[in-house]
Amino acid sequence: MTDVRNLLISGSEKVIGHYRVLLAGARSESERELYRARIAREQRLLEALQGGLPERAAA
């Protein structure tokens, strides 16, 4: 199950990177806030995965 956790961590890191690119190109404050909120949510998920949640909770 460690492979699954590593895959989820990698995916979360990629999603965060994608949202950062979108944030950099945001045209309005509402768009920036949307991307900031999504980055924060994904960052919380990533931290939980890296913090060692039980395998079943991570999947």
Side-chain angles (χ1 to χ4, degrees), residues 1-15:
M1 287 305 252
T2 308
D3 291 338
V4 172
R5 181 177 286 158
N6 290 339
L7 180 65
L8 291 171
I9 289 171
S10 176
S12 287
E13 290 169 341
K14 288 179 182 180
V15 167

Side-chain angles (χ1 to χ4, degrees), residues 36-47:
R36 285 184 192 119
R38 290 182 179 179
I39 290 168
R41 182 185 63 201
E42 197 66 35
Q43 188 66 43
R44 286 190 302 273
L45 292 170
L46 178 60
E47 289 169 3

Side-chain angles (χ1 to χ4, degrees), residues 5-38:
R5 181 177 286 158
N6 290 339
L7 180 65
L8 291 171
I9 289 171
S10 176
S12 287
E13 290 169 341
K14 288 179 182 180
V15 167
I16 290 169
H18 178 70
Y19 281 133
R20 286 184 177 150
V21 169
L22 292 173
L23 177 61
R27 296 173 190 236
S28 68
E29 186 58 33
S30 62
E31 198 175 1
R32 284 187 283 279
E33 285 301 315
L34 174 68
Y35 296 136
R36 285 184 192 119
R38 290 182 179 179

